[in-house]
Amino acid sequence: MSANDHTPSDPPLIATPPPIAGLLLAAGGGRRLGGRPKALLPYRGHPLVENAVRVLREAGCGPVHVVLGASAAEVRERADLADCVVVDNPDWAQGMGSSLRVGLASLAGTGARAALVSLVDQPGIGPAAVARVLAAYRSPTSLVAAAYDGERGHPVLFGAARWADIAATATGDKGARVHLARHAEELMLVECADIAEAFDIDTPPDLARLL
C-alpha cells in the first residue's frame, strides 16, 4: 500500500468552506472633525482602524480588506494593518459608495462567499455583534444587517451573488442603500442592541466616546 492510500481508519476529508471576508471602510477624512482622518483617531492607545480590524478578526471574518482614502499614506505608516489587504480609494471624497465599490472589487477572485461590511468610526460595535450577523449567513444571496431597536444599521453582510449589483448602484454617500431598498423583503435583520451601540464618531463632541 502506498503512502497516499487511505485505510478505513483514516478520518474523512472535509472541505473547508469558503470564507466570509471582512470589508472595513476606513477612508473618511473627518470633515466635521477638523479634517482628522477617522482611521487614525486614538482609541485605547491605538489608531481606531486597528480596533476595527481586531473586531472583524475576533468575530471570525477572514480575509480582512481595509479601504483607505484620506491620509492613506499616513495611515499605512502609523497603523498596524499586518495580514490585511489594504486598498486605496483615490475617490474617497465622493462618498462611501466609492469606497464600497473599491472594496468589493478587491474581493474578486478571493473565493469569499460573502462580505461583511463595517465602518471604522463605530467602536461601540464589537465582535459579539459582528459574529451574530455572520451566523445569519445562509447562501451567496444572503442579505443581512444588524438592527438596533428594530432600525437597520451596521455591520451589513452581502452574499457574493449581490456584489455586482451593489457596485453598480453604490454612488455618493448612499453606499448600498439602493440595493437594500430594492431588496427590502429579502433583508434579514439581526437585533444587536443588547450587545452593541451603533453610534458614529462624526463631530468633536463624539470624541468623548473614545475615552
Side-chain angles (χ1 to χ4, degrees), residues 4-20:
N4 291 327
D5 290 333
H6 294 287
T7 67
S9 61
D10 288 334
L13 298 177
I14 301 176
T16 301
I20 293 180

Side-chain angles (χ1 to χ4, degrees), residues 58-95:
E58 290 185 4
C61 292
V64 174
H65 287 218
V66 181
V67 181
L68 300 180
S71 303
E74 185 181 1
V75 175
R76 287 173 180 270
E77 180 180 347
R78 292 177 51 190
D80 180 5
L81 298 176
D83 299 324
C84 294
V85 175
V86 182
V87 292
D88 292 343
N89 174 17
D91 300 320
W92 63 269
Q94 294 181 9

Side-chain angles (χ1 to χ4, degrees), residues 40-154:
L40 289 177
L41 293 174
Y43 181 62
R44 298 180 179 177
H46 298 275
L48 195 56
V49 68
E50 291 184 10
N51 172 74
V53 168
R54 176 190 60 80
V55 166
L56 291 174
R57 285 185 173 145
E58 290 185 4
C61 292
V64 174
H65 287 218
V66 181
V67 181
L68 300 180
S71 303
E74 185 181 1
V75 175
R76 287 173 180 270
E77 180 180 347
R78 292 177 51 190
D80 180 5
L81 298 176
D83 299 324
C84 294
V85 175
V86 182
V87 292
D88 292 343
N89 174 17
D91 300 320
W92 63 269
Q94 294 181 9
M96 187 188 303
S98 63
S99 290
L100 183 56
R101 292 196 305 272
V102 168
L104 291 175
S106 74
L107 291 172
T110 63
R113 51 192 167 142
L116 183 135
V117 179
S118 68
L119 307 181
V120 73
D121 66 342
Q122 293 189 320
I125 300 174
V130 175
R132 190 175 284 184
V133 174
L134 280 178
Y137 173 85
R138 295 294 180 270
S139 75
T141 62
S142 286
L143 186 62
V144 186
Y148 301 89
D149 296 325
E151 295 294 322
R152 175 174 58 80
H154 283 85

